[in-house]
Amino acid sequence: MSDASTQTKFSNPAPLGLAGFALTTWLLSMINAGWFSGDGMGMVLACAMAYGGTAQAIAGVMELPRGNTFGATAFLSYGAFWWSFALFVLFLHDKVPPAFVGWYLFLWGVFTFYMWLGTLRAPRALQMIFLALWITFFLLAAGEWTGMARLHQAGGYTGLLTAVLAFYLSAAEIINDSQQRTVLPIG
């Protein structure tokens, strides 16, 4: 039995989800930008399954009792993205035409675009993450469709920016909460 004075406080899962997204995005984007060859993909896949995929899915489930539809949808979806990416690279990479991979990336860009629209009343830091991410997906899709390495590389650099923004928001939410004041502004 509970009364009005007893409220359950749920922890904020966003810093976990953002960190899992940021770290995995950074690793993959270093390859996409051309900093490292595809030989580093094994590390990306391990991170995609354990942190980008699983930790984000956990964060998404944690958003449900908080009533955060946006957070649940975002974290569960991008967690599933990382799992689908890992499964694709491990089992299907040489069996799927680049144009179809382009559609995969483009449709993730479409999803990310309308999620970005959903952030327009949210803090600027969150808006910037989704803005950079939908641009990343569209650049990578265009690179697959055209075969232009420069578009793929531009997608990699935009992905690096996306990761930096996600790391920043994750850090801001942790630091601001622990200090009980705004140390890192989020707009």
Side-chain angles (χ1 to χ4, degrees):
M1 185 183 247
S2 78
D3 58 30
S5 65
T6 306
Q7 290 185 344
T8 303
K9 182 178 184 216
F10 294 103
S11 63
N12 181 4
L16 168 65
L18 287 163
F21 172 79
L23 193 145
T24 312
T25 300
W26 181 269
L27 291 175
L28 178 59
S29 295
M30 287 193 299
I31 293 172
N32 287 336
W35 293 4
F36 290 90
S37 72
D39 294 341
M41 190 58 75
M43 181 59 70
V44 175
L45 297 179
C47 189
M49 289 184 274
Y51 202 33
T54 303
Q56 277 194 96
I58 291 168
V61 169
M62 290 174 66
E63 290 286 13
L64 294 171
R66 295 168 53 93
N68 185 351
T69 302
F70 181 91
T73 302
F75 290 133
L76 285 165
S77 295
Y78 294 113
F81 165 81
W82 284 117
W83 272 101
S84 71
F85 175 80
L87 293 169
F88 165 72
V89 172
L90 287 170
F91 302 113
L92 305 168
H93 188 262
D94 297 332
K95 299 173 184 157
V96 178
F100 203 74
V101 174
W103 278 103
Y104 168 80
L105 294 166
F106 176 78
L107 292 171
W108 275 105
V110 169
F111 170 75
T112 303
F113 180 80
Y114 76 72
M115 292 296 284
W116 171 68
L117 293 175
T119 69
L120 295 181
R121 290 188 180 209
R124 292 268 187 247
L126 187 62
Q127 292 174 27
M128 297 305 294
I129 293 166
F130 280 87
L131 173 64
L133 184 57
W134 71 255
I135 293 169
T136 299
F137 278 124
F138 287 158
L139 286 168
L140 293 172
E144 291 294 327
W145 286 333
T146 65
M148 294 176 60
R150 290 282 183 202
L151 287 172
H152 192 80
Q153 188 176 29
Y157 279 103
T158 311
L160 291 167
L161 173 62
T162 305
V164 167
L165 293 167
F167 269 133
Y168 177 85
L169 184 54
S170 175
E173 292 203 12
I174 290 288
I175 293 166
N176 293 348
D177 183 62
S178 70
Q179 297 297 312
Q180 297 183 350
R181 64 185 177 89
T182 300
V183 176
L184 296 174
I186 61 172

